[in-house]
Amino acid sequence: TGQILSFHPIRINGQKAGVICYFSKDLFDDTVERMTEQLVRLLARELYMHREEQLLRLSGRKMKPMLHVSYLKGIIEEIQRTADPGTPVKHQLNALLQLLTTATRHDEHPLREELATLKAYLSLEGTRRRPNQLTSADITVDLDIETSVEEYFVFPFLVTQLVDNALRHAFVKAGRHHRIDVRAFKSTTGWVIEVADNGQGMPFAVMQQLDQKESGDSNLFLIRRALEVTYGPAASLRVYSIIHQGTRIEVRLPFPSP
């Protein structure tokens, strides 16, 4: 045909794609090939940046919910006032109020308050007895928090989402004693939140997908993105996992500004 075909693979929104270029044989050489590779990489970057801009734009144009969280919170507060003290219903309403209070926050709050939200969440999860399915009532959650970091700020539901991820994915329906350990402590360069479980471990393919920065909709991926937006390169989320032995998620955060 007198033409040379050049194929350049790229990824768009996590999907495999590519650019096919046709060159006249007498115009094609190594310089053109290298230039084309550079243009394709630039195209892939521009597509990724465009997608990010679209997501940010759409996130600010969410539909207004028919029932706002504050409205539901007010109703539950009224019911909670009439509930008999010391009853399971009273306890559950208190836990639900804690979750709804956190859900109305848009700013960061102390780790101490985040742990109260986690305890409320675990309390409510323990009441959801689903047939043939593990709940938090079947799992020991241990907290080991240094007093020095309790007043450091985190964004709402950070620790709660990490524990929720372990509850939903780490454990099979039967087996040895199930455990989740939550730690928070100072390090030399910042402070650390760790959530570790003794579950079935994270498949290699899932860990690979988590490391692909151009796309993802898993809970851990979204937490990592939120950390990047909130703290920039000063924060990180790392996953360490061994099949049949468990998973440890490490979140490193910068010290608060003086």
Side-chain angles (χ1 to χ4, degrees), residues 225-242:
R225 290 298 310 280
L227 288 169
E228 291 174 355
V229 171
T230 306
Y231 304 103
S236 64
L237 183 151
R238 294 185 175 90
V239 179
Y240 306 90
S241 187
I242 301 176

Side-chain angles (χ1 to χ4, degrees), residues 42 86 91 128 192 206 251:
L42 179 61
H91 179 73
R128 299 173 63 194
V192 181
V206 176
V251 175

Side-chain angles (χ1 to χ4, degrees), residues 105-126:
R105 298 190 69 118
H106 300 289
D107 55 343
E108 296 178 290
H109 62 175
L111 178 62
R112 168 180 46 79
E113 293 183 20
E114 173 62 20
L115 295 176
T117 299
L118 171 63
K119 292 174 183 178
Y121 163 78
L122 292 173
S123 173
L124 291 172
E125 276 291 296

Side-chain angles (χ1 to χ4, degrees), residues 43-60:
L43 171 63
R45 180 179 178 277
E46 290 300 316
L47 287 171
Y48 172 64
M49 295 300 294
H50 175 71
R51 175 177 176 270
E52 294 297 296
E53 290 173 1
Q54 292 295 105
L55 288 175
L56 287 173
R57 193 174 295 115
L58 288 173
S59 65

Side-chain angles (χ1 to χ4, degrees), residues 7-20 36-48 214:
F7 176 72
H8 307 267
I10 59 175
R11 294 179 69 88
I12 300 175
N13 295 349
Q15 302 298 316
K16 292 180 179 179
V19 176
I20 298 176
T36 305
E37 288 284 0
Q38 293 173 356
L39 289 173
V40 169
R41 284 196 293 270
L42 179 61
L43 171 63
R45 180 179 178 277
E46 290 300 316
L47 287 171
Y48 172 64
E214 69 269 18

Side-chain angles (χ1 to χ4, degrees), residues 11-40:
R11 294 179 69 88
I12 300 175
N13 295 349
Q15 302 298 316
K16 292 180 179 179
V19 176
I20 298 176
C21 304
Y22 292 91
F23 299 92
S24 173
K25 185 182 295 185
D26 58 339
L27 294 177
F28 185 81
D29 57 19
D30 291 342
T31 302
V32 173
E33 176 74 5
R34 287 195 298 271
M35 182 180 67
T36 305
E37 288 284 0
Q38 293 173 356
L39 289 173
V40 169

